[in-house]
C-alpha cells in the first residue's frame, strides 16, 4: 500500500472546500455570539475517565484510546465535545447563573456514524447551562435554525421533535436487563413491530401497550393528540407532550420550516433527559443538526444543573451547500519597485486580496478569481477592471 493513502473515511480538504468550511465556521460562531454565546476551546485529548464520564457505551465505542507516555494513564481523543463543555461549566467557570457556551473544533470517531460520513467531523455546537425552562429549549432551536439560515439553508428545512422522558416513563418500574433494554431501543428506532412485540411480551400491560403504540406515533402535530390518548395512563408522558406542543408553537410562522414529531426516535437516548430534536435539510441523508436537553451530563463532574444544546458537522454542512464562487481578487505583477510594494500593502490592509503573479506563471489558474489588475499609469499604481 502506498504511504500517502489515507485511512478509510479520512480525507484531505482541498482549497475551495477548505475556504468554504472556514467561512462557514466564522459565520456560525458569529451567529452564536449574536445570541450571547461565549467561545470555549476544549483540548482534543483528555484522560479517558473524564472524557467518557456519564456518556454511555455508544460514545465509548466511538472514542480512540491511547496511553499517555508521561503518566501511563489511559487517554482518549474526543468523539464529542459536550462532555468537555459540561466539565468546563462545572469546574472552571462554576457560575451560579446561566452560561451560554459555543465551540467549533475537530472530533474523531473510530467508525463513521452514518454511511459515507467522515471519521473526523468538524463539530460546531452551542449549549446553555443553568436554566431548566422551555425558554432555553426554544432559544436552542431558534439558534440552530438561524445558523442554517446564515449558511444559506432557508427552504425545505424539517425540525423533527421527540422527548426522551416518554420512553423513560414507559419503562418506569419494569425490571429489564441492559441487553433487553438496548434491543427494545433498537426495535423502536427501526419501528420493528414484530421484534418489539416479542421483546415486551412479559412487560406490564401499560408499558407493553405504550411502547407498541410509539411505533405509530410520528408525523405532524396531530401525533401529539394521538399520543395523549394512547399513553394517557402515564402522567410523565403528558408533561413531555405538553412541552413538545409549546415548543412547536414557538417555531410556527418561520417560513421554509416544517415541524414533525417521531416519539419513538431514540438516537442518543442515553445522552438526553428531555426534549431532543433533529433538523433535516435537502441533500442530507440524515439529520444535519442534532440536539436536545441533557440535564444529567454534568452530574459526574459534581454539578448537576440544567443543560440544553445542539451540534452539527461543518464539513457535512458544506456538502449540502452549493460551491461558493471564487473570491474576487486583484492581480499584480511581481516587482521589487517600492511604489508597487506600497500600493499592494495598502490594498491588502483595506481587505483586498492581491495575488502577485510570479515570473513565468501568468497564465495559470489559481484559487482566486482576479477580476481587476494593478497597473502603472504616469508613475502611479492604480486598479482597473480586467
Amino acid at each position: 500500500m502506498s504511504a500517502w493513502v489515507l485511512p478509510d473515511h479520512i480525507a484531505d480538504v482541498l482549497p475551495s472546500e477548505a475556504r468554504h468550511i472556514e467561512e462557514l465556521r466564522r459565520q456560525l460562531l458569529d451567529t452564536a455570539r449574536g445570541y450571547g454565546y461565549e467561545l470555549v476551546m476544549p483540548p482534543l485529548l483528555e484522560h479517558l475517565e473524564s472524557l467518557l464520564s456519564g456518556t454511555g457505551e455508544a460514545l465509548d465505542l466511538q472514542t480512540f484510546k491511547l496511553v499517555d507516555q508521561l503518566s501511563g494513564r489511559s487517554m482518549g481523543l474526543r468523539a464529542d465535545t459536550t462532555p468537555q463543555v459540561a466539565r468546563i461549566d462545572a469546574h472552571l467557570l462554576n457560575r451560579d447563573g446561566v452560561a451560554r457556551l459555543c465551540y467549533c473544533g475537530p472530533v474523531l470517531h473510530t467508525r463513521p456514524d452514518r454511511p459515507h460520513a467522515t471519521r473526523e467531523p468538524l463539530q460546531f455546537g452551542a449549549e446553555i447551562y443553568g436554566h431548566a425552562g422551555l425558554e432555553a429549549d426554544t432559544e436552542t432551536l431558534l439558534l440552530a435554525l438561524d445558523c442554517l439560515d446564515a449558511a444559506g439553508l432557508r427552504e425545505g428545512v424539517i425540525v423533527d421533535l421527540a422527548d426522551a422522558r416518554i420512553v423513560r416513563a414507559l419503562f418506569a418500574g419494569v425490571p429489564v436487563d441492559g441487553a433487553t433494554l438496548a434491543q427494545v431501543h433498537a426495535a423502536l428506532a427501526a419501528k420493528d413491530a414484530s421484534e418489539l412485540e416479542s421483546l415486551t411480551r412479559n412487560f406490564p400491560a401499560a408499558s407493553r401497550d405504550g411502547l407498541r403504540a410509539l411505533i405509530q406515533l410520528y408525523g405532524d402535530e396531530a401525533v401529539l393528540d394521538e399520543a395523549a390518548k394512547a399513553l394517557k395512563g402515564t402522567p410523565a408522558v403528558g408533561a413531555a407532550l405538553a412541552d413538545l406542543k409549546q415548543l412547536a408553537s414557538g417555531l410556527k410562522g418561520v417560513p421554509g420550516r416544517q415541524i414533525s414529531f417521531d416519539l419513538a426516535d431514540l438516537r442518543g437516548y442515553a445522552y438526553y433527559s428531555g426534549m431532543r430534536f433533529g433538523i433535516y435539510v435537502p441533500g442530507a441523508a440524515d439529520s444535519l443538526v442534532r440536539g436536545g436537553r441533557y440535564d444529567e451530563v454534568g452530574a459526574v463532574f459534581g454539578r448537576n444543573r440544567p443543560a440544553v444544546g445542539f451540534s452539527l458537522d461543518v464539513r457535512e454542512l458544506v456538502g449540502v451547500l452549493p460551491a461558493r464562487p471564487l473570491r474576487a481578487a486583484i492581480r499584480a505583477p511581481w516587482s521589487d519597485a517600492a511604489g508597487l510594494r506600497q500600493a499592494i500593502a495598502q490594498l491588502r490592509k483595506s481587505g483586498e486580496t492581491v495575488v502577485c503573479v510570479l515570473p513565468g506563471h501568468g497564465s495559470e489558474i489559481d484559487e482566486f478569481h482576479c477580476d481587476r489588475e494593478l497597473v502603472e499609469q504616469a508613475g502611479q499604481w492604480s486598479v482597473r477592471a480586467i
Side-chain angles (χ1 to χ4, degrees), residues 280-361:
Y280 297 80
V281 302
D286 203 341
S287 53
L288 182 66
V289 182
R290 298 175 184 175
R293 181 164 285 280
Y294 32 83
D295 291 343
E296 298 161 12
V297 72
V300 294
F301 302 113
R303 196 157 187 247
N304 193 11
R305 72 195 205 119
V308 60
F310 72 91
S311 66
L312 62 87
D313 177 11
V314 183
R315 294 177 68 170
E316 185 180 11
L317 175 58
V318 166
V320 300
L321 294 172
R324 293 191 174 182
L326 297 179
R327 181 176 176 180
I330 299 170
R331 185 171 63 199
W334 179 267
S335 172
D336 291 329
L340 175 59
R341 291 287 179 88
Q342 184 178 5
I344 291 172
Q346 289 298 323
L347 288 167
R348 288 173 175 164
K349 285 181 181 179
S350 69
E352 295 282 3
T353 297
V354 182
V355 179
C356 291
V357 180
L358 299 176
H361 297 273

Side-chain angles (χ1 to χ4, degrees), residues 16-78:
S16 292
E17 185 181 1
R19 176 171 53 86
H20 198 169
I21 288 173
E22 174 58 17
E23 290 172 356
L24 275 177
R25 185 190 68 83
R26 296 178 186 181
Q27 286 179 316
L28 294 172
L29 289 174
D30 285 346
T31 301
R33 184 172 60 183
Y35 276 69
Y37 287 73
E38 300 172 276
L39 179 65
V40 292
M41 297 180 179
L44 183 61
L45 185 71
E46 277 204 47
H47 291 128
L48 201 58
E49 60 269 25
S50 172
L51 196 63
L52 296 180
S53 293
T55 58
E57 182 183 11
L59 198 58
D60 185 8
L61 295 175
Q62 278 283 55
T63 301
F64 280 101
K65 302 173 179 70
L66 63 153
V67 175
D68 183 5
Q69 296 300 307
L70 293 180
S71 67
R73 295 175 64 182
S74 294
M75 304 186 77
L77 296 168
R78 67 171 178 231

Side-chain angles (χ1 to χ4, degrees), residues 1 5-11 64 109-112 117-120:
M1 180 179 292
V5 175
L6 294 173
D8 292 342
H9 299 279
I10 298 291
F64 280 101
H109 294 164
T110 56
R111 294 177 177 272
T118 178
R119 289 196 289 165
E120 190 186 8

Side-chain angles (χ1 to χ4, degrees), residues 220-229 241 244-245 248 261 263:
D220 60 20
E221 195 167 346
V223 164
L224 300 182
D225 295 328
E226 295 174 20
K229 295 175 184 178
L241 295 175
L244 288 175
K245 185 169 289 190
F261 303 86
L263 303 187

